[in-house]
Amino acid sequence: MKQHIWERLNRRSMKGRVTGRRLRRAAGFAVGLVLAVVVMVNLPFEKAAPAYAISVKAGEDGPVFKLADREGKRDEHVTTVSYVDSRPGLEFYIEGENIASIHIKAKNEYVYAVDWTKTQHEKYWNVEYYQHFDEETQTSVADFNLLYDKEMTMTFDEDFRDYDQIWYRWTAWNMYEWAAEDNFSRFYGFGYDPIDIDVDSLTEEEKRELAAENGSSIGHMNLEDYPDHLKEDTITITITDRQGHVTTKAIQVRVDNNRLGQTVVTARLKNVS
């Protein structure tokens, strides 16, 4: 199960009725597809992006925190990643033993979880909890107020072992809602003109990306007028083991536009205690 966190499929709007039977069948064939449906309901112009994750591991020798990507560098302990994501987000899982609870809090934006163990709150594994099917539009409409929280707490029974099968996600939901105002007026290619790129100022790598049509800003948010302090957020993770020992770490997240106009997520691991 853990290997799927390293793969990001194309996100797409959910069309048609989503039933429990269809979800179970989809899960049987492709767990990743179900994930794409569950997470990004009705968000337009989704494109595939490199998948990055933060693995937070609490072991006998103390907590080990590392960022890893899909390039097979999972064993390298690093403290920062930066990547393009048109719907800025960050996902991570927590490994360890003897964990009694995990508390996650975002300062400005929101967090949620995907619980493949189905041991936590129904909102984290049952899509029908936070969405309904609209007969008129023939689409499944999500109420993200039921899914997203500023903070969450997971508690585990003594025999629980599958910590890495609960995936935690940070999402820049406030930023998205701001950009989507007035018929997506702050998205490149929607109500806003595509960015005017000065090709001569680009690096050779950026020029190659642009030539390969991988450098398009279409569908990305234009953050020029977004308050600078809201482009940053802090995710605080507090892990408590069964002996009462508490470990706290923080992930500093920032979202900016690069020179191609794309939204770029940069995440840095910070020591708290």
Side-chain angles (χ1 to χ4, degrees):
M1 180 70 70
K2 181 170 60 180
Q3 66 184 15
H4 296 292
I5 201 169
W6 308 102
E7 301 173 357
R8 178 76 59 87
L9 297 178
N10 289 333
R11 296 173 178 173
R12 54 179 65 88
S13 299
M14 178 183 285
K15 303 294 184 181
R17 182 184 300 271
V18 178
T19 64
R21 183 178 57 150
R22 286 175 59 189
L23 283 176
R24 287 192 295 271
R25 185 171 62 249
F29 290 107
V31 173
L33 178 58
V34 177
L35 177 63
V37 171
V38 170
V39 174
M40 299 305 295
V41 181
N42 288 338
L43 297 189
F45 282 80
E46 283 303 308
K47 298 178 67 177
Y52 290 83
I54 297 177
S55 169
V56 183
K57 184 175 182 180
E60 294 180 357
D61 298 328
V64 174
F65 296 81
K66 58 185 178 180
L67 295 172
D69 61 25
R70 67 188 305 174
E71 302 300 324
K73 301 176 182 177
R74 302 183 193 183
D75 294 331
E76 294 185 14
H77 292 206
V78 293
T79 58
T80 184
V81 291
S82 185
Y83 57 97
V84 172
D85 193 343
S86 62
R87 299 295 179 270
L90 190 72
E91 58 187 3
F92 56 96
Y93 63 90
I94 297 172
E95 289 183 309
E97 296 180 358
N98 204 31
I99 298 175
S101 69
I102 296 173
H103 180 78
I104 298 174
K105 181 178 181 179
K107 181 179 179 181
N108 293 325
E109 289 287 359
Y110 292 89
V111 290
Y112 63 108
V114 178
D115 176 18
W116 294 104
T117 71
K118 296 185 179 181
T119 59
Q120 302 299 307
H121 195 289
E122 184 181 13
K123 68 185 293 182
Y124 300 128
W125 55 265
N126 182 6
V127 296
E128 294 182 356
Y129 178 87
Y130 62 88
Q131 71 180 28
H132 71 279
F133 184 74
D134 189 314
E135 293 286 352
E136 182 177 350
T137 62
Q138 291 292 296
T139 59
S140 291
V141 180
D143 180 357
F144 290 104
N145 290 324
L146 295 177
L147 180 65
Y148 296 158
D149 291 307
K150 288 289 188 181
E151 56 186 303
M152 69 172 77
T153 300
M154 301 290 188
T155 57
F156 308 104
D157 297 332
E158 289 189 7
D159 59 349
F160 188 86
R161 298 292 183 270
D162 299 323
Y163 301 106
D164 62 341
Q165 293 186 31
I166 299 179
W167 304 345
Y168 305 97
R169 289 197 168 92
W170 171 89
T171 182
W173 180 244
N174 288 332
M175 181 180 290
Y176 171 82
E177 289 198 306
W178 170 85
E181 291 176 353
D182 300 326
N183 195 28
F184 304 99
S185 61
R186 298 184 179 101
F187 279 83
Y188 290 117
F190 285 71
Y192 198 94
D193 292 334
I195 190 170
D196 184 16
I197 300 174
D198 181 4
V199 177
D200 293 335
S201 70
L202 301 180
T203 65
E204 290 303 316
E205 182 179 358
E206 289 170 336
K207 290 178 181 179
R208 287 193 297 270
E209 289 180 352
L210 189 61
E213 297 185 353
N214 295 325
S216 173
S217 60
I218 299 299
H220 288 256
M221 304 178 217
N222 175 15
L223 302 178
E224 181 179 355
D225 297 326
Y226 197 62
D228 190 69
H229 71 281
L230 294 180
K231 296 177 184 177
E232 296 185 349
D233 200 6
T234 301
I235 308 166
T236 303
I237 305 169
T238 305
I239 303 172
T240 305
D241 68 18
R242 301 198 185 282
Q243 284 70 48
H245 301 136
V246 176
T247 299
T248 304
K249 292 288 181 178
I251 303 167
Q252 192 74 38
V253 187
R254 183 172 176 88
V255 182
D256 289 291
N257 289 123
N258 62 14
R259 287 199 291 172
L260 297 178
Q262 300 163 322
T263 47
V264 177
V265 178
T266 301
R268 294 181 173 87
L269 192 63
K270 298 175 58 179
N271 291 324
V272 177
S273 64

